[in-house]
Amino acid sequence: RPLTGDDVLKWNRITEKLISNDGEYVVYKTEPWKGDPVLYISISKGKEIASFDYGSRVGITYDSKFVVFTIKPPADTIRQLKLKKTKKDDMPKDKLAIYNLESGNLDIIPDLKSHKIPGKWAGWIAYQVTGKQLTGNGEQGAGKEEKGEVEKEKEKEKEKVKKESSKNGYKLQLVKPGKLVEIIEFPFVTEYYFAEEHKSLLFMSTGDDKDFLPGVYRIDIESEVVTPLITGKGSYKQLTQNKKGSLIACLADTTDGGGNDKKEYKLYAWKGGKSAREILSNESTGIPKNWEISANERISFSKPGNRLFFGTAPVKPEKDTTILEEELPVVDVWHWNEPVLHTQQLKRKSSDLKKTYMAAYDFEVEKMVQLETKELSSISLINNGDSKYALAYSNKPYAVQTMWEGSPSHIDIYLVDMETGKSEMIKKDIRVSPRASLTGKYLYWYNGLDTTWNTYNIETRKEYQICSKDVIQCANELNDVPNLAGSYRTAGWLKEDAALLIYDRYDIWKVDPENKYQPINLTVNGRENQIVYRLLKLDKPMRGRFTSGPEEGIDPDKTHYLTGHNEISRNDGYYQWSMTKPTIPMELMSGEYKLGSPLKAKDDDVVLFTMEDFIIFPDLQISDLSFKKPRQISNANPQQDEFIWGTAELVSWTSLDGRKLEGTLHKPANFDPTKKYPMIVNFYEKSSQGLYGHHIPERGRSTIGYHYYTSNGYLIFNPDIYYKEGYPGEDAFNCVMPGITALIEKGFVDEDHIGAQGHSWGGYQVAYLATRTNLFAAIESGAPVVNMFSAYGGIRWGSGLNRAFQYEHTQSRIGKSIWESPLRYMENSPIFTMDKVQTPILIMHNDDDGAVPWYQGIEYFIALRRLGKPAWLLNYNEAAHWTTRLEDKHDFQIRLAQFFDHYLKGEPMPKWMKEGIPAVKKGIEFGYELEK
């Protein structure tokens, strides 16, 4: 049967997936667009051993023995309670679940606030609950009452009892999973962190107003020794520790119990011993005049622990409290030559008020150095702070011109001496994004002006151009915007910075950082066969809730694995590869499908991956590293067999300016070439390389759902668009229209019932097409620019940026300013030829759009209304560039389908299209009813 909107809301995605370190267990979560998630646990052979409704936020302990997750209250229960106006405090709470993979036992802990498991060790779990204690049998109870209820009530009348809250903190409990009776607990904890590689925990408490003092504590979990690092009422910020938990630092203000709004933070550090010691205050040597230690910057240690990095900032001016707010003028003053456009300043005001500047404290010489100054735009550490220098840059001399040039912006590059804070300019006025190599020996960058990669030896101060376009075509070969072509990036550095692996469009090249030998094509046949090879970093540490750390260099002596995408067939594959010498990668699996990035077990050669095409959902597969005979672990949507589905195929044609083009055509599964079908043309720029993408059914935020429409008898055509400078509208016409004509000639397209749909840049293009052709029976244009003149001088309110750069140098592709080439702006603006439109138009443009000004949609609608053209405008209140609330997305998809069904299938017109929805009936009537 055909898919309905309600069917789509029930469609599952796999939103969490994990494989245990020993490779024996897989945990994943399926979640519908509307409804409750289900957590599944399977063994690696594919057999499901447990499932839990409402499970979420899953982790597996480091020893692969326990699955730890949260159980959320049922969505319908929450909904019913909200309808009853239930108070927030009375709503059901999350539960913590600990599942024993060996025994199958499940422990449930209710009233959960938070939980954490260690990153690289096992045996303990930390969690917080809201005021309830564990009883002796491993279940949750109300806890022992120390005093009778009557006596407690009397005491409440005599004194104010401290209550748990986000400000005061919650009880922290540490337990051994499987042995929940063994508890270590602390009161009123506001923050807590396991050390990544040591059985210790760092936490902060506001104290219990009795025996347990407020402060920062460290507990060695094995010995249960608790070390009070700093105690006393006050404000504590930026707790941090190294991986082993042997170095700890934080900021503290204990001067007046934290009662004043103005804080005077001091920097404390602990390197063993009974307590932390104060190492810096605002009066210390090295703090710039009228500056202070800032609580807004994260604290970190250098790799060896000899330096501590923190933030300083100018002291903020205080408001005059003798003046009332209503006595002050409210005004923004824009200056023509401000380095940063005032709208950007307003957008960044909150973060600018918290702006900090990096400083370092050297434990060996007990000296603080200010590394970052106001003259620099950004600074970053080299080799995790274990270097003589830091890397910095400044774009401030060139800030104004970024308004129309965009990125990459002009910058000056600096090295900042870690011992003195002195900065040295090493490159002036260059449009690059510099980075440091892993060991910190080199800086490196891609230069779009000459399309080369470059290195800079920090010790010798020598610069090297390590490749040229005659040898490696580093620049994006398909770049079609009037801006510097970007690179294909890098695969990373070999160990000890021995070489840099650089991508071209297809291959992986080994390049010496000082040009001691010619670049070597290690994958040999990528360009010849048009296979895009990319390195899989299977051993790269997972970054997320449980593990972190710097990326290690690539070991050239190991066996490596690649993905390969064939640009001709669109097939994906996995390949085995040795980089010790140029070698054609050995194909392990390849076919007419799209492959996901594998997730490898830490201690075994077992990988979890996905394989999909337009029909096949990306369910989880498991295999060893041969990728032979993979086993399917999940079956997220068994109901798919109930529905009419669809197929995807590649089609080709020639553009009006003579280029051979390709695109995708999606057909219903029961397609009959002797019948004629309505067709929707949907496109953005280039999409055909995603031929085998699945398009999970969803109530899309801004575009059509492919499976919904193929299931309901539509063809969908998605053509690739190629552009030249100055004429994006004409380019879209030249590419799209002959593609449609080629399909009409095949005999199965109903040429009287063809629609078009696009959003943002796609929305602009379909709006342009409506002024050039009457072929379309209906068009939906979402968040389009229709007047490039007014848009050019406008603001992207999401960022505060002026829009000029995107017209001159990026997606809009005009290539010149409105003063240099006004005709280009007029010729590409649909607003000036709106009188030519003969197609009914549905517009979706929301009033909080931060990317395309809402007034573009209004100009579009007003022009059509003035000219008497059928048009509708959907404005989802307080929504941004597209709808984000599920309810809004569902509504949009209902209206979009009704719009196309009416004009492309002859279905009755819905009430909202025929009569509208008067403002007085907003939220009461929706007008979905079809008019007979």
Side-chain angles (χ1 to χ4, degrees), residues 157-227:
E157 295 176 1
K158 296 180 180 178
E159 62 179 354
K160 185 178 180 181
V161 176
K162 185 172 185 176
K163 295 182 179 179
E164 292 182 330
S165 65
S166 298
K167 180 180 179 180
N168 290 337
Y170 297 89
K171 184 187 299 179
L172 174 67
Q173 302 191 126
L174 285 85
V175 298
K176 288 186 176 182
K179 300 179 180 179
L180 296 188
V181 292
E182 299 184 25
I183 293 178
I184 304 172
E185 61 182 32
F186 303 98
F188 297 104
V189 171
T190 54
E191 296 180 38
Y192 62 102
Y193 309 95
F194 281 116
E196 187 174 336
E197 297 177 353
H198 184 267
K199 291 189 176 183
S200 62
L201 182 133
L202 176 68
F203 68 93
M204 183 168 69
S205 170
T206 61
D208 62 1
D209 292 347
K210 296 177 184 177
D211 304 321
F212 198 84
L213 298 175
V216 178
Y217 294 82
R218 176 185 185 269
I219 174 172
D220 186 292
I221 298 176
E222 293 289 85
S223 65
E224 297 188 17
V225 172
V226 180
T227 303

Side-chain angles (χ1 to χ4, degrees), residues 144 187 275 283 405 424 450 474 587 769 819 825 891 898:
K144 296 180 179 179
S275 63
E283 289 71 42
E405 284 187 345
E424 173 191 355
D450 58 14
C474 303
E587 181 183 299
L769 292 181
W819 303 279
Y825 284 83
D891 179 89
Q898 289 182 334

Side-chain angles (χ1 to χ4, degrees), residues 286-288 291 312 357-360 368-373 416 420-421:
I287 302 288
W291 283 41
T312 61
Y357 299 83
M358 184 187 290
M368 174 256 178
V369 177
Q370 185 67 46
L371 300 176
E372 186 178 8
T373 64
V416 180
T420 65

Side-chain angles (χ1 to χ4, degrees), residues 57-70 95-101 105-109 112-119 121-129 134 140 171-186 192-195 198-201 219 221-222 545-546:
R57 295 192 71 243
V58 64
I60 304 176
T61 55
Y62 192 73
D63 58 6
S64 303
K65 292 183 178 180
F66 297 91
V67 177
V68 183
F69 57 98
T70 300
K95 301 174 183 177
L96 179 63
I98 304 172
Y99 179 79
N100 189 319
L101 288 166
N105 290 336
L106 178 69
D107 289 304
I108 301 292
I109 300 166
L112 178 70
K113 289 299 296 183
S114 69
H115 76 278
K116 293 180 182 178
I117 63 176
W121 52 275
W124 291 84
I125 296 171
Y127 64 88
Q128 289 181 300
V129 293
L134 211 64
Q140 287 292 321
K171 184 187 299 179
L172 174 67
Q173 302 191 126
L174 285 85
V175 298
K176 288 186 176 182
K179 300 179 180 179
L180 296 188
V181 292
E182 299 184 25
I183 293 178
I184 304 172
E185 61 182 32
F186 303 98
Y192 62 102
Y193 309 95
F194 281 116
H198 184 267
K199 291 189 176 183
S200 62
L201 182 133
I219 174 172
I221 298 176
E222 293 289 85
R545 291 169 54 210
F546 307 125

Side-chain angles (χ1 to χ4, degrees), residues 1 44 53 167 174 229 263 273 348 413 505 561 625 646 685 721 746 749 753-754 787 825 875 924:
R1 63 183 178 85
S44 58
D53 292 341
K167 180 180 179 180
L174 285 85
L229 304 181
K263 305 296 182 186
R348 293 170 10 185
I413 304 176
R505 181 173 175 180
Y561 296 85
L625 285 173
E685 292 201 2
I721 315 295
K746 293 179 182 292
V749 175
H753 294 95
I754 299 174
N787 185 346
Y825 284 83
N875 166 33
I924 301 171

Side-chain angles (χ1 to χ4, degrees), residues 174-446:
L174 285 85
V175 298
K176 288 186 176 182
K179 300 179 180 179
L180 296 188
V181 292
E182 299 184 25
I183 293 178
I184 304 172
E185 61 182 32
F186 303 98
F188 297 104
V189 171
T190 54
E191 296 180 38
Y192 62 102
Y193 309 95
F194 281 116
E196 187 174 336
E197 297 177 353
H198 184 267
K199 291 189 176 183
S200 62
L201 182 133
L202 176 68
F203 68 93
M204 183 168 69
S205 170
T206 61
D208 62 1
D209 292 347
K210 296 177 184 177
D211 304 321
F212 198 84
L213 298 175
V216 178
Y217 294 82
R218 176 185 185 269
I219 174 172
D220 186 292
I221 298 176
E222 293 289 85
S223 65
E224 297 188 17
V225 172
V226 180
T227 303
L229 304 181
I230 314 172
T231 57
K233 288 187 177 181
S235 176
Y236 300 92
K237 298 285 186 180
Q238 302 297 345
L239 271 66
T240 191
Q241 59 187 327
N242 66 350
K243 290 184 178 182
K244 297 186 181 298
S246 58
L247 303 173
I248 294 171
C250 71
L251 301 176
D253 174 11
T254 59
T255 54
D256 60 356
N260 295 336
D261 290 337
K262 176 63 177 174
K263 305 296 182 186
E264 295 282 345
Y265 287 103
K266 297 179 181 180
L267 184 61
Y268 288 80
W270 179 85
K271 301 183 75 175
K274 292 184 177 181
S275 63
R277 68 182 181 93
E278 178 189 324
I279 58 174
L280 283 177
S281 70
N282 290 338
E283 289 71 42
S284 298
T285 301
I287 302 288
K289 187 178 180 180
N290 295 323
W291 283 41
E292 62 185 353
I293 297 170
S294 174
N296 296 317
E297 179 60 52
R298 185 176 65 90
I299 296 174
S300 64
F301 290 96
S302 62
K303 188 189 298 185
N306 60 321
R307 293 185 180 118
L308 180 63
F309 301 97
F310 61 101
T312 61
V315 175
K316 301 293 185 296
E318 297 184 18
K319 281 190 174 182
D320 188 343
T321 57
T322 64
I323 302 176
L324 296 172
E325 285 290 328
E326 58 262 34
E327 295 175 340
L328 296 172
V330 182
V331 60
D332 298 324
V333 179
W334 297 24
H335 188 279
W336 71 276
N337 205 28
E338 294 178 282
V340 179
L341 190 64
H342 204 83
T343 48
Q344 288 177 261
Q345 295 180 44
L346 293 172
K347 194 69 184 178
R348 293 170 10 185
K349 180 180 176 182
S350 177
S351 59
D352 283 347
L353 287 171
K354 297 178 181 179
K355 166 70 177 172
T356 62
Y357 299 83
M358 184 187 290
Y361 181 84
D362 191 314
F363 288 102
E364 295 178 1
V365 297
E366 297 187 345
K367 176 185 175 183
M368 174 256 178
V369 177
Q370 185 67 46
L371 300 176
E372 186 178 8
T373 64
K374 287 185 175 182
E375 286 68 40
L376 300 175
S377 300
S378 180
I379 190 169
S380 58
L381 298 175
I382 296 174
N383 195 21
N384 279 12
D386 189 18
S387 173
K388 180 175 171 55
Y389 299 98
L391 170 62
Y393 73 85
S394 175
N395 67 353
K396 294 189 176 181
Y398 322 103
V400 173
Q401 66 203 65
T402 62
M403 186 179 86
W404 59 88
E405 284 187 345
S407 62
S409 62
H410 297 254
I411 63 168
D412 300 330
I413 304 176
Y414 294 85
L415 287 173
V416 180
D417 192 300
M418 300 282 277
E419 295 179 0
T420 65
K422 182 180 178 181
S423 59
E424 173 191 355
M425 184 192 296
I426 61 169
K427 292 292 290 184
K428 183 175 178 62
D429 192 8
I430 186 169
R431 299 184 71 180
V432 302
S433 298
R435 299 178 65 186
S437 62
L438 294 177
T439 69
K441 184 176 181 180
Y442 300 100
L443 303 182
Y444 67 107
W445 57 81
Y446 166 77

Side-chain angles (χ1 to χ4, degrees), residues 426-562:
I426 61 169
K427 292 292 290 184
K428 183 175 178 62
D429 192 8
I430 186 169
R431 299 184 71 180
V432 302
S433 298
R435 299 178 65 186
S437 62
L438 294 177
T439 69
K441 184 176 181 180
Y442 300 100
L443 303 182
Y444 67 107
W445 57 81
Y446 166 77
N447 190 335
L449 286 171
D450 58 14
T451 68
T452 63
W453 281 94
N454 302 263
T455 60
Y456 181 89
N457 187 312
I458 294 176
E459 183 178 355
T460 65
R461 295 296 198 269
K462 289 184 178 179
E463 182 181 345
Y464 302 88
Q465 189 180 92
I466 59 174
C467 66
S468 69
K469 59 185 177 182
D470 297 330
V471 179
I472 309 177
Q473 297 181 45
C474 303
N476 180 356
E477 297 176 25
L478 300 180
N479 179 59
D480 58 5
V481 298
N483 200 16
L484 302 178
S487 75
Y488 289 103
R489 299 179 296 178
T490 69
W493 285 84
L494 299 191
K495 293 174 65 175
E496 304 303 322
D497 290 347
L500 180 62
L501 299 184
I502 292 175
Y503 292 130
D504 71 4
R505 181 173 175 180
Y506 300 104
D507 289 299
I508 305 174
W509 294 74
K510 179 181 177 182
V511 181
D512 183 78
E514 296 187 5
N515 274 339
K516 293 176 181 177
Y517 52 80
Q518 282 292 307
I520 302 169
N521 183 351
L522 293 177
T523 47
V524 182
N525 72 334
R527 184 169 294 273
E528 178 184 351
N529 295 333
Q530 292 185 256
I531 298 175
V532 180
Y533 290 121
R534 294 298 181 255
L535 183 65
L536 282 171
K537 298 184 180 178
L538 296 175
D539 296 324
K540 183 177 179 179
M542 288 181 61
R543 297 179 184 274
R545 291 169 54 210
F546 307 125
T547 60
S548 60
E551 180 183 351
E552 299 297 330
I554 299 167
D555 186 344
D557 297 322
K558 286 186 174 181
T559 298
H560 293 277
Y561 296 85
L562 308 175

Side-chain angles (χ1 to χ4, degrees), residues 587-603:
E587 181 183 299
L588 299 174
M589 67 178 294
S590 178
E592 296 178 344
Y593 39 69
K594 178 182 177 181
L595 294 169
S597 296
L599 180 63
K600 180 183 174 296
K602 178 182 179 296
D603 301 321

